[in-house]
């Protein structure tokens, strides 16, 4: 299950997370984001060690700015409150799972 993150639950869900977090920055109008959506949902069902969260850039522009999101979809991988890496664009299930170590 993916968790929708807002500025209200950002600290709890991402910064204070005891497990690694994969953040999906997206927008409802974004075609590649819609293509990535089922991949992210499948990862959220299969991931054993990673929390999967989504941030809508239209609803949370300040969070997108904090992460310097310039294009969407952008995936950011975090551990212990710090960014471990990010990728933009569509990626396959296998690519993402390999990237986050799942």
């Amino acid at each position: 299950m993916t968790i929708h993150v807002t500025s209200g639950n950002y600290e709890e869900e991402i910064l204070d997370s005891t497990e690694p977090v994969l953040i999906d920055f997206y927008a409802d109008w974004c075609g590649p984001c819609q293509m990535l959506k089922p991949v992210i949902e499948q990862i959220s069902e299969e991931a054993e060690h990673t929390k999967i969260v989504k941030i809508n850039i239209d609803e949370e522009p300040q969070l997108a700015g904090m992460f310097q999101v310039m294009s969407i979809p952008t995936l950011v991988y975090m551990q212990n409150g710090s960014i471990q890496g990010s990728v933009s664009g569509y990626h396959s299930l296998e690519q993402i799972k390999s990237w986050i170590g799942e």
Side-chain angles (χ1 to χ4, degrees), residues 62-101:
Q62 71 281 10
L63 291 178
M66 282 175 44
F67 285 88
Q68 300 178 348
V69 173
M70 298 296 171
S71 63
I72 51 173
T74 290
L75 302 176
V76 176
Y77 185 64
M78 295 187 67
Q79 278 185 301
N80 301 317
S82 64
I83 297 171
Q84 302 300 305
S86 66
V87 294
S88 294
Y90 177 85
H91 295 275
S92 70
L93 176 69
E94 293 77 21
Q95 289 171 318
I96 297 169
K97 286 177 77 173
S98 173
W99 181 57
I100 65 173

Side-chain angles (χ1 to χ4, degrees), residues 1-2 38-48 50 52:
M1 178 182 88
T2 57
V39 173
I40 295 298
E41 288 173 3
Q42 186 169 352
I43 289 171
S44 72
E45 292 172 11
E46 296 177 5
E48 296 179 14
T50 306
I52 312 300

Side-chain angles (χ1 to χ4, degrees), residues 8-63:
N9 66 353
Y10 166 76
E11 189 170 323
E12 173 189 349
E13 295 294 347
I14 296 176
L15 294 183
D16 295 341
S17 178
T18 58
E19 58 190 339
V21 180
L22 179 66
I23 307 168
D24 175 21
F25 285 94
Y26 76 101
D28 292 332
W29 50 263
C30 166
C33 299
Q34 296 305 316
M35 289 172 44
L36 188 61
K37 186 176 181 178
V39 173
I40 295 298
E41 288 173 3
Q42 186 169 352
I43 289 171
S44 72
E45 292 172 11
E46 296 177 5
E48 296 179 14
H49 308 290
T50 306
K51 179 189 288 189
I52 312 300
V53 304
K54 297 177 74 68
I55 297 177
N56 184 320
I57 64 158
D58 290 331
E59 296 171 1
E60 300 295 335
Q62 71 281 10
L63 291 178

